[in-house]
Structures are given as structure tokens and as C-alpha cells.
Amino acid sequence: MEVVIVKDAQAGGELIAEAMAALLRRKPDALLGVATGSTPLPVYEALSAKVRAGAVDASRARICQLDEYVGLPADHPESYRSTVLRQVVEPLGLTEDAFMGPDGNAADVQAACEAYDRALREAGGVDLQLLGIGTDGHIGFNEPCSSLASRTRIKTLTQQTRVDNARFFDNDIEQVPHHVITQGIGTILEARHLVLLATGEGKADAVAASVEGPVAALVPASALQLHPHATVVVDEAAASKLKLADYFRHTYANKPVWQGL
């Protein structure tokens, strides 16, 4: 696992966007897994700016969702399908044909989970999966004590996650669904490159537990320690609880250019 400490959210967004751009230059039809929420917005803004400037051609890129609410209409502004289309697909100049996501309104939700897991494999697998992290260490909607071998499945959100997400629903927790479809931790670990972005002091404990603590289902993001190519990008605030922060800074400052992100 590589830990990169950056000045702020914008710097983290630019760093990850350049990694995505470099991937698209090598593999124009790369499958990019995207996360939702406020944290990854600087990444999408920086990548779309590169596309507009002609620094990278994203016309053949493919985009896939990490998770989705169950029972929320697909065209609801806070469904993750709508969010990804609005924040990623459209700014990159892509159409819905380039987009993959689970069906949160399927009559048989479990079958929809299995179908999405299968679709990701049939698409050749995710080349780069962007992740956020919850204050309790969850990734995707894999809440604490999720199986580290789990596949795409239905999950029940914790009260804390619903409280955290209420800001997207007019601060009304009653509007936040109780259930979601999420890529499982086992599914996530199959991506070729995992990139986790965390910003703000509120994520510091979760980052420290995930990076420096034991691999444990209680902290789902700690599973990134098992991946051969995982990168954790954090701003100074999110890095504030890391015991090895100085080492991580030294390592990155002396990293060979040819290694990339």
C-alpha cells in the first residue's frame, strides 16, 4: 500500500485525475470505477478539465458504479446513477452507453446484484477503482463487519451512514434509504488499481485504522492492505493520526518518476 499525503483536496484531486488520464493514454477503453459523495468531486473536476483542454481523450472510457440505493427511482437526483451521470459521465463528454451500474429497482434485487458482479467480470474487470472512506472505515457500502470476501450484494446501512448521507436529502434522514446494493469487498479487491481518497480531520481515525491497524472486518477499508496495487491519498487533516506520516512523506518525495501513482 502506498500512502500519499497532499496539501489539500484539490491537490489530491489533481493527482488522482492525472493517474486516470495516464491510464486512459495507455488504455483508451479503460473501465473506471467511481465513487459518489463530496470527497471525489475534485477528481472529476480535474479530469474533465483535462478532457476539455485536450490533455487526454476519454471518448472510449467506460464508467462503472460502486454502489446504489435500493428503491430510489433511477431518475431521482440523489440516486447514484443520476449522480454519476451528472458528475462524471456528462462532464467527460460520454453517453449512458459508456456507463454500467446495478439496478436498485429490480424485482429481484439479489439477482440484480449477481448480474452486476458478473457484468463487471465480463467487461474485463475494473482497471482503476476510486474509493472514499466512511467515518467508520467503510468502503462502498460495506459497513463494519462485512466479509472481506463479499461479492456485490444487498446491505443495510448503519444509522451513522444514514446520518452522514442525510445532507444529500435536505438533512432529512427519513428520506435516506435503509438498503443499498454495493460491490462487495471481494469484488472491489479484484480491480487492478485501488485509489482511496480521504480529506478532512473527520476521516483521520478511519484512515489511521485502515492503513496502520490490523486487517479486520471491523474496518472494511483495511482490506486494501491485501491488494498488490493500492494507493491511499490523504490531505494533511486526514493524515493527522498517522504514526508513520513522516515516513510516508519521505517515501513519496523520493519515489522514482517511472513508478507513477
Side-chain angles (χ1 to χ4, degrees):
M1 176 188 292
E2 179 180 28
V3 179
V4 182
I5 301 173
V6 295
K7 180 178 67 173
D8 53 28
Q10 285 65 40
E14 177 60 35
L15 182 69
I16 296 171
E18 181 52 39
M20 289 180 167
L23 170 60
L24 290 171
R25 294 181 192 114
R26 298 192 305 271
K27 185 177 181 181
D29 65 344
L31 180 57
L32 303 177
V34 297
T36 51
S38 54
T39 299
L41 290 179
V43 177
Y44 308 144
E45 292 165 358
L47 183 59
S48 61
K50 292 179 184 296
V51 170
R52 292 193 302 272
V56 62
D57 179 4
S59 62
R60 294 172 57 194
R62 297 171 294 155
I63 306 297
C64 65
Q65 273 179 264
L66 183 61
D67 40 36
E68 181 59 275
Y69 289 114
V70 171
L72 205 63
D75 60 356
H76 188 287
E78 296 306 327
S79 77
Y80 285 158
R81 178 183 183 86
S82 293
T83 301
V84 171
L85 291 175
R86 183 173 64 247
Q87 295 179 352
V88 184
V89 174
E90 293 171 5
L92 292 181
L94 303 172
T95 68
E96 291 192 35
D97 291 340
F99 171 78
M100 297 173 58
D103 183 0
N105 289 284
D108 186 337
V109 180
Q110 182 57 40
C113 294
E114 295 169 2
Y116 187 51
D117 211 80
R118 184 168 57 252
L120 291 173
R121 292 195 301 271
E122 292 174 350
V126 179
D127 291 293
L128 186 154
Q129 177 65 59
L130 180 61
L131 300 165
I133 186 171
T135 55
D136 58 3
H138 74 252
I139 50 174
F141 274 128
N142 293 284
E143 299 285 24
C145 288
S146 291
S147 166
L148 301 186
S150 55
R151 309 301 305 179
T152 301
R153 68 209 189 287
I154 308 165
K155 285 294 290 182
T156 301
L157 298 182
T158 64
Q159 181 71 359
Q160 183 59 58
T161 298
R162 294 182 70 237
V163 168
D164 290 344
N165 285 9
R167 68 189 189 276
F168 300 113
F169 293 84
D170 300 321
N171 291 314
D172 181 3
I173 193 172
E174 296 306 317
Q175 295 186 42
V176 183
H178 284 271
H179 299 97
V180 292
I181 292 175
T182 184
Q183 287 186 36
I185 297 173
T187 308
I188 291 170
L189 290 175
E190 290 180 351
R192 295 177 181 88
H193 186 189
L194 297 178
V195 181
L196 188 150
L197 175 62
T199 57
E201 187 176 359
K203 301 295 179 70
D205 286 325
V207 167
S210 300
V211 170
E212 297 177 338
V215 175
L218 187 62
V219 184
S222 66
L224 270 67
Q225 296 181 37
L226 302 172
H227 197 278
H229 190 189
T231 307
V232 176
V233 179
V234 290
D235 68 359
E236 291 289 349
S240 61
K241 299 291 182 69
L242 290 171
K243 296 177 181 178
L244 297 177
D246 288 341
Y247 172 69
F248 295 139
R249 292 188 184 94
H250 175 78
T251 300
Y252 187 68
N254 292 278
K255 182 178 180 177
V257 175
W258 53 264
Q259 281 190 331
L261 185 64

